[in-house]
Amino acid sequence: MLHSLLVRTVISYLLVFTVPLVLPIAFFKLVGLGGLRELVTYEAKDTPLHRLDPRLKVLYPIAMGILSILLTWSFMLIVFGLSLLPWLWLRPSRQRMRVLLVLVIGPALGGFWDQGMYYLPPAPVHFLYQFPWTISWMGSPGITTYGMIFGLEQSARVLVVVSTSMLILISTDVGDFTWAFERFGAPPAMGFALTAALRFLPEMISRTTLVLRAVELRGYDLSRPRWFQFGRWPDYIRRAARCVVLVTVPLLVGTLRGTTTMAMVADARGFGANRKRGSLRVHKLSAVDVGGYVVLVVLVAGALVLNHLHIGARYYG
Amino acid sequence: MSPGEVVLITGASGCGKSTLALALTGLIPARVHGELRGRVMFGGQPLSGLAPHEASQYVGLVFQNPNLQLINMTVQSEVAFGPENLALPHSEIESRVGWALDVTGMAGMRTATILTLSGGQKQRTAIAATLAMRPRVLVLDEPLSDLDPVGAQEVLGTLRRLAAEADTGVVVIEHRVDEVAPWADRIVLMDNGRIRLDRPPRGAWDDPAPWIATGVGIPDLVRLAHALPDAFPGEAPLSVDEAVATLRGGWFATALASSAQDRGTRPPKTQGLNAQPFDAQPPVLSWHDVSVTFGDHKAVDDVSLDIGDDEWVALIGANGSGKSTLTGLCVGLGTPASGTVSFRGQPIRPGRVFEHSAHVALLLQAADEMLFAENVLDELEFGFKFRAKPKDPVLDVPGAIEFFGFAGQEAVSPWELSQGGRQRLALAALLVGAPGVLVLDEPTTGQDADHLKAFLSLLDQIKERTGLTVVTVTHDMRSVASRASRIVLLGDGQIQLDGTPAEIFANTAELARWGILAPPLARLQSELLGGVDEVHLTVEALAAAVQPYRPTPVRVNTVQAK
């Protein structure tokens, strides 16, 4: 029975389409635009992580990203584990944690799924499940064990960077980023651009939410069908896509007006008056900072040494 | 302007107030293009040729919308932004930030995140950030527009203190003349790009003609003084305290007490405080035991409220009291943690905005965000692309074009209309769908007296023509007093008072407790009578009420209300 063409076809279609369907639903249900706003919003707290040297915080995701590229899978797992440790310091709120988990698990699941189907190792290939010819138009012969493992590895590498960047984003005042960039010799405009982007991203998300509400109030149907109303989903997708066009004009007009005001505010507050800026912040290196720098240097140096000794280094051929 | 002087600049929308502010701060001609004639001088120093960052150290500008001018994430980094740009030493930046936060009363919020601040706190942060540039003159463009009445008084108090203690000149550009006038040393009335009047507040309304001609409202207390000149033998009062001091012990106070006593012997009204309107039919809108929570915060706390046919209900309350959350529920925006919301007995399902917007028309404060079509006609037809046209509507599309004054403008882009025109268009587009109730969220914010009067008249006409129930969320107590048939006061997410405007505005102490200042006339009556069940809400009604009790009949002057 399980080996009949019909059953195998049904199972294959479920395997292929469940993940792409579940991921957007999970995003809308558990994250949504409000959740994205949460994600990029600085959370003022008094934790060691918040007090850490901003320069170290800028270097941290960069260094972890480099490590994730250099090392092999088993060493990668250690890096991944290390990247999760600082979250224990931060103790984010449950709501933020939910958003973070969706955004971490989602891409991991996606990578795991697509590489499992489309990454074909050299023969002999071990299929976890081989698709029948009825789904051959999808271009995948089936799900391979090696592909799934490969997908997990790739996802974990991306997640190291995502996790560390998110950690820094919500524990660092944008002004501290600007301060760090300026200490690294970057022009003030770069810090200002980053500040403006991070400050107004939540505003932009709020405005998008407002305009989407407004379009519904004007009679546009954006109500989502229930998951089992398969016949209504194509129409919903069509309506949602058309809505993007509709809301673009008010969003653009509002944003352009906002940026004009913001530019005048920056002018009025003397931005660009001097090549070097002063700073309210004076950072004295603490023991935690020194410890952080030591760990970072040891990690990067260790990875480079291992790489040089061909231990734990990825094979590029 | 002299050091430490507070100048109120007012005038109808589009009269040139904001343009003048940009010129004062050097942003015209540096950033806004146009032809500039004449010069702005600071002492002997011409400001017009300076770069904006140089001019801003003489004249600082606080823009209208605090959300757009707060660039940083925390209060202290926002305030430090300007001094950091000037490359000042750390000790000087620290000193300026501390001073600016102290002066504006924001020292306790130094490390707070901007996104968590209330409207008043954001406005004070914007003022602090501008002050940190140490300007000698501070210009504020409509600083009160998003503030509740108590928040507005806090900001005005801050500005007065700044002028008195730091000798900073303050220019306030505002439509809310009656709120700012008591704090100002001088009032400038602009009309069509020119200064029409420039006088101290005491004499600013001696001749009401320019005010009436420009469409800018005259404060009620001044109108009362003009209507009853023998009750106000000296100058017209600018504040309730001044009016009370003048009237206490005089014939007006005695006549008012006699009038109130006689009124108290009349049979009581059927609907009083906290009364629910009785109606055999299901109420138009009904909230039953509704609570809404955001994280740990209870925005709406166990509210039960019925709104019946033909009512004009005003929901008032301080910023964050739950007004907009409550009204959003009636069209499916937001999900109650408990309780039910219904329209004509039919439950409102959370998230089904499309479905419920056919019955409940909600005009957002940001009416611009509600326009999506290429021209006026398409805008009015927009909703019918997605749902059927109503049968026999009171207001169809051609009728709406005529009624709202868009005849001949059908092909015009909504973005070419004035702000008032865009608001009317958004309202018209909602009404052609023949809803059963009209809900307005802060519809009169930032409007001058003339536009406000026109908008309220339009609502009167709509109500007369369509018989719609109107629910409005507002901070504008004058429009509430003149139009609403019922007021519901929200505080801490709960209904604190519910009654007619005359009853509600008599509770000045309770209103103040919940962040609301009753209109000056109501506070005056309350102060003079030491507590009263009902108050008169218009100058005409108050003058007529005391007239029969005055010692010798004297002619009552009339001054046109705006």
Side-chain angles (χ1 to χ4, degrees), chain A residues 260 264 267, chain B residues 19 22-23 26-36:
Chain A
T260 307
M264 286 202 283
D267 272 338
Chain B
T19 306
L22 293 174
L27 289 167
I28 291 178
R31 290 293 177 269
V32 181
H33 300 295
E35 186 191 345
L36 176 77

Side-chain angles (χ1 to χ4, degrees), chain B residues 72-92:
Chain B
N72 293 272
M73 278 292 180
T74 61
V75 170
Q76 65 174 355
S77 52
E78 187 64 47
V79 179
F81 182 70
E84 285 177 339
N85 289 331
L86 298 178
L88 298 172
H90 169 76
S91 57
E92 175 64 15

Side-chain angles (χ1 to χ4, degrees), chain B residues 130-154:
Chain B
T130 310
L131 282 179
M133 299 294 283
R134 284 276 162 90
R136 305 304 310 279
V137 176
L138 186 63
V139 181
L140 302 105
D141 193 358
E142 297 203 29
L144 312 182
S145 58
D146 286 325
L147 302 185
D148 58 48
V150 170
Q153 291 300 306
E154 283 173 12

Side-chain angles (χ1 to χ4, degrees), chain B residues 257-337:
Chain B
S258 304
S259 164
Q261 200 172 9
D262 283 1
R263 205 157 41 137
T265 60
R266 289 178 207 158
K269 291 186 174 181
T270 51
Q271 187 178 312
L273 291 181
N274 298 315
Q276 300 294 326
F278 174 78
D279 200 327
Q281 284 197 327
V284 178
L285 284 174
S286 176
W287 291 260
H288 184 66
D289 295 338
V290 171
S291 294
V292 181
T293 52
F294 298 122
D296 299 332
H297 172 62
K298 226 173 190 178
V300 175
D301 188 4
D302 202 22
V303 165
S304 291
L305 175 68
D306 288 344
I307 291 175
D309 283 300
D310 290 334
E311 285 198 283
W312 184 319
V313 179
L315 287 180
I316 63 171
N319 290 345
S321 59
K323 307 181 295 291
S324 296
T325 307
L326 196 67
T327 48
L329 292 176
C330 69
V331 70
L333 293 172
T335 308

Side-chain angles (χ1 to χ4, degrees), chain A residues 186-240:
Chain A
M190 186 176 157
F192 181 67
L194 182 75
T195 303
L198 287 178
R199 165 68 181 87
F200 287 96
L201 202 56
E203 292 283 345
M204 185 73 185
I205 292 169
S206 297
R207 284 203 56 235
T208 308
T209 311
L210 179 73
V211 174
L212 286 173
R213 280 179 175 185
V215 80
E216 282 195 280
L217 288 170
R218 290 291 315 281
Y220 194 87
D221 187 3
L222 269 177
S223 50
R224 274 198 300 275
R226 307 288 295 273
W227 67 269
F228 52 82
Q229 293 171 308
F230 299 114
R232 291 184 55 194
W233 275 97
D235 182 49
Y236 169 69
I237 292 166
R238 189 185 57 79
R239 279 183 282 118

Side-chain angles (χ1 to χ4, degrees), chain B residues 69-345:
Chain B
Q69 61 188 306
L70 300 179
I71 304 167
N72 293 272
M73 278 292 180
T74 61
V75 170
Q76 65 174 355
S77 52
E78 187 64 47
V79 179
F81 182 70
E84 285 177 339
N85 289 331
L86 298 178
L88 298 172
H90 169 76
S91 57
E92 175 64 15
I93 296 173
E94 183 63 55
S95 143
R96 286 191 181 199
V97 170
W99 171 77
L101 290 175
D102 276 343
V103 168
T104 51
M106 287 296 290
M109 307 288 290
R110 184 173 173 138
T111 55
T113 313
I114 297 288
L115 293 169
T116 63
L117 301 182
S118 69
Q121 289 166 338
K122 282 183 183 172
Q123 193 61 272
R124 279 189 280 164
T125 305
I127 294 171
T130 310
L131 282 179
M133 299 294 283
R134 284 276 162 90
R136 305 304 310 279
V137 176
L138 186 63
V139 181
L140 302 105
D141 193 358
E142 297 203 29
L144 312 182
S145 58
D146 286 325
L147 302 185
D148 58 48
V150 170
Q153 291 300 306
E154 283 173 12
V155 168
L156 289 169
T158 300
L159 296 175
R160 187 70 255 186
R161 204 166 54 246
L162 187 68
E165 292 172 7
D167 242 8
T168 305
V170 177
V171 177
V172 182
I173 293 171
E174 255 305 332
H175 292 302
R176 287 157 71 168
V177 176
D178 51 349
E179 287 177 69
V180 186
W183 304 88
D185 298 310
R186 195 166 139 197
I187 297 181
V188 173
L189 174 65
M190 288 188 68
D191 181 26
N192 206 14
R194 290 173 181 274
I195 290 177
R196 180 83 179 251
L197 180 146
D198 181 357
R199 299 196 65 176
R202 295 282 158 214
W205 290 281
D206 287 350
D207 176 12
W211 298 91
I212 293 166
T214 52
V216 178
I218 299 174
D220 278 347
L221 291 175
V222 174
R223 289 181 53 234
L224 184 67
H226 286 177
L228 301 168
D230 56 327
F232 295 89
E235 291 162 321
L238 295 176
S239 67
V240 174
D241 289 344
E242 278 182 27
V244 170
T246 306
L247 296 174
R248 186 161 275 154
W251 73 262
F252 182 93
T254 313
L256 185 67
S258 304
S259 164
Q261 200 172 9
D262 283 1
R263 205 157 41 137
T265 60
R266 289 178 207 158
K269 291 186 174 181
T270 51
Q271 187 178 312
L273 291 181
N274 298 315
Q276 300 294 326
F278 174 78
D279 200 327
Q281 284 197 327
V284 178
L285 284 174
S286 176
W287 291 260
H288 184 66
D289 295 338
V290 171
S291 294
V292 181
T293 52
F294 298 122
D296 299 332
H297 172 62
K298 226 173 190 178
V300 175
D301 188 4
D302 202 22
V303 165
S304 291
L305 175 68
D306 288 344
I307 291 175
D309 283 300
D310 290 334
E311 285 198 283
W312 184 319
V313 179
L315 287 180
I316 63 171
N319 290 345
S321 59
K323 307 181 295 291
S324 296
T325 307
L326 196 67
T327 48
L329 292 176
C330 69
V331 70
L333 293 172
T335 308
S338 61
T340 53
V341 186
S342 55
F343 168 78
R344 294 258 182 236

Side-chain angles (χ1 to χ4, degrees), chain A residues 1 3 7 22 52 62 84 93 138 145 164 188 212 251-252 254 288 292 300 317:
Chain A
M1 170 83 175
H3 296 287
V7 174
V22 163
L52 210 58
I62 299 171
L84 296 179
S93 62
M138 286 292 295
T145 318
T164 49
L212 286 173
L251 273 177
L252 263 181
V288 179
V300 175

